[in-house]
Amino acid sequence: MNIILLGAPGAGKGTQAEVICDKLKIPAVSTGNILRAAVKNGTEMGLKAQEFIDKGALVPDSVIIGIIKERLAEPDCANGFILDGVPRTVAQAEALEQMGVVIDKVVDLEVADEIIIHRLAGRRVCSACGASYHVENKPSREPDRCDRCGGALIIRKDDAPETVKGRLKAYHELTEPLIAFYRERGKLVVVEGHESIADTSELLLKALEA
Ligand code: AP5
């Protein structure tokens, strides 16, 4: 199954992608994670992308389309994948169609902006492996240490409240039109993302089975 997870920043795409991957045994492809790895490794693409990420703006479509083309050609994507955080513009969605990528379902994870602001304020991520936590909703066993690898937990630079405002603005202007784009193609399912992480996973898996 080829799935797209749509949703605002902090809607829970990364958290839920992990659950679906586990259940369906398919990889999650997160452009955010790929870009952050490039920033960490100091590659040319990473340095260029960092300017946009730090401002809460979208990275240019041409860069994202190149990343996704390369990633989807890898053998682990042959039996299905979950796209987390991509496409984020109509141009990216059209590029996927032009590449001949067939999407089975698009899940729109709907969460109100006020809840997103609270979620991103409490998010902590592992500086080593990128695992994501929340100080109240998904705390690590040891404070500020990753359960998975023991790495130090940090606050993502783009989770600063001013940057979150910019990310939400970019979402409403540039990404939200994809809801209509995929509804017209009969691919869209809407999942209410306000419930607990476990309850949202249940709703999401049911929507995928339907
Ligand atoms: P990216 O990393 O994709 O960030 P994002 O879309 O802004 O999404 P997040 O990772 O912030 O949130 P999420 O929805 O995964 O939520 P999470 O599960 O962590 O992109 C970063 C940047 O890269 C972009 O701003 C842009 O610059 C660039 N970029 C990436 N892709 C791009 C593209 N295609 N085109 C152009 N630019 C691109 O959950 C958030 C928090 O809430 C966590 O702490 C979690 O524990 C908690 N939580 C999750 N679910 C629940 C729940 N149900 N109840 C309570 N708490 C919950």
Side-chain angles (χ1 to χ4, degrees):
M1 210 187 221
N2 299 337
I3 301 163
I4 291 175
L5 267 185
L6 273 186
K13 302 181 297 296
T15 304
Q16 296 302 333
E18 222 177 283
V19 176
I20 310 171
C21 280
D22 232 40
K23 190 91 184 163
L24 303 184
K25 310 283 175 236
I26 51 177
V29 173
S30 156
T31 37
N33 287 346
I34 294 171
L35 290 168
R36 276 185 292 280
V39 170
K40 201 170 169 184
N41 295 331
T43 67
E44 197 184 321
M45 186 258 280
L47 293 175
K48 246 192 253 165
Q50 188 166 22
E51 288 173 42
F52 296 92
I53 297 172
D54 287 353
K55 281 191 294 201
L58 294 188
V59 171
D61 288 332
S62 56
V63 176
I64 299 295
I65 293 164
I67 290 176
I68 209 71
K69 224 181 226 171
E70 213 172 280
R71 181 64 186 91
L72 293 185
E74 288 178 31
D76 64 328
C77 290
N79 294 323
F81 49 79
I82 300 162
L83 294 180
D84 161 10
V86 69
R88 245 181 168 93
T89 61
V90 170
Q92 292 176 21
E94 286 171 346
L96 277 177
E97 289 186 342
Q98 280 152 21
M99 281 178 226
V101 175
V102 177
I103 298 297
D104 299 298
K105 276 209 174 146
V106 178
V107 180
D108 174 34
L109 204 50
E110 287 212 333
V111 180
D113 285 6
E114 311 81 75
I115 293 183
I116 280 175
I117 290 166
H118 172 260
R119 284 189 188 171
L120 292 181
R123 174 162 63 183
R124 300 292 180 269
V125 293
C126 176
S127 53
C129 74
S132 168
Y133 299 86
H134 190 278
V135 288
E136 292 162 14
N137 307 330
K138 193 185 171 193
S140 54
R141 283 192 296 271
E142 254 189 76
D144 299 327
R145 284 281 143 209
C146 178
D147 294 351
R148 209 195 279 170
C149 74
L153 299 188
I154 55 163
I155 298 175
R156 243 168 73 173
K157 209 170 163 192
D158 62 343
D159 280 348
E162 276 313 304
T163 316
V164 169
K165 272 191 207 159
R167 288 164 64 196
L168 282 170
K169 188 166 177 278
Y171 168 75
H172 291 302
E173 285 176 11
L174 301 167
T175 309
E176 230 164 31
L178 289 177
I179 296 174
F181 181 95
Y182 285 114
R183 185 174 280 127
E184 275 166 25
R185 283 155 177 75
K187 308 275 183 190
L188 191 81
V189 280
V190 177
V191 170
E192 171 70 52
H194 290 156
E195 303 300 327
S196 69
I197 295 175
D199 287 350
T200 305
S201 302
E202 216 170 291
L203 289 174
L204 215 151
L205 289 167
K206 262 193 206 142
L208 288 177
E209 279 162 16

